[in-house]
Amino acid sequence: MTRSNSATNCLADLAVGGRGRVLNVVGCDEISLRLLEMGLTPGVDVELLGTAPLGDPLEFDVRGYHLSVRKSEAQRVEIQSL
């Protein structure tokens, strides 16, 4: 996969209040499939709303609902910062 934008990060790299657009979910296992089923599909805009007190899990606004995922799962989602 060729990337032309240097602002490509993973979902776990967002700061609270930061926004991004999903580019890809890495992997082809059950966790990757579950992330896609929860709405983290390419082209979707996400915003990091907050984190738990110890920094994990992370809470996102995805398609108008709140989604909490572990940081290790968020590291599988490649995004373009907005």
Side-chain angles (χ1 to χ4, degrees):
M1 183 169 126
T2 302
R3 294 187 188 120
S4 60
N5 189 331
S6 62
T8 302
N9 299 317
C10 71
L11 201 53
D13 292 338
L14 281 177
V16 174
R19 298 178 49 82
R21 180 165 293 139
V22 175
L23 297 175
N24 186 32
V25 176
V26 176
C28 55
D29 57 6
E30 290 180 5
I31 293 173
S32 300
L33 179 60
R34 185 68 181 139
L35 292 170
L36 290 165
E37 290 174 342
M38 291 189 297
L40 293 170
T41 56
V44 168
D45 291 345
V46 296
E47 178 180 359
L48 179 59
L49 299 174
T51 67
L54 296 177
D56 197 18
L58 310 172
E59 185 175 12
F60 297 93
D61 179 5
V62 179
R63 301 174 188 258
Y65 69 91
H66 293 193
L67 173 67
S68 293
V69 297
R70 294 185 180 112
K71 189 175 276 188
S72 62
E73 296 164 345
Q75 290 172 336
R76 294 169 163 244
V77 182
E78 296 176 338
I79 62 164
Q80 177 182 23
S81 297
L82 298 177

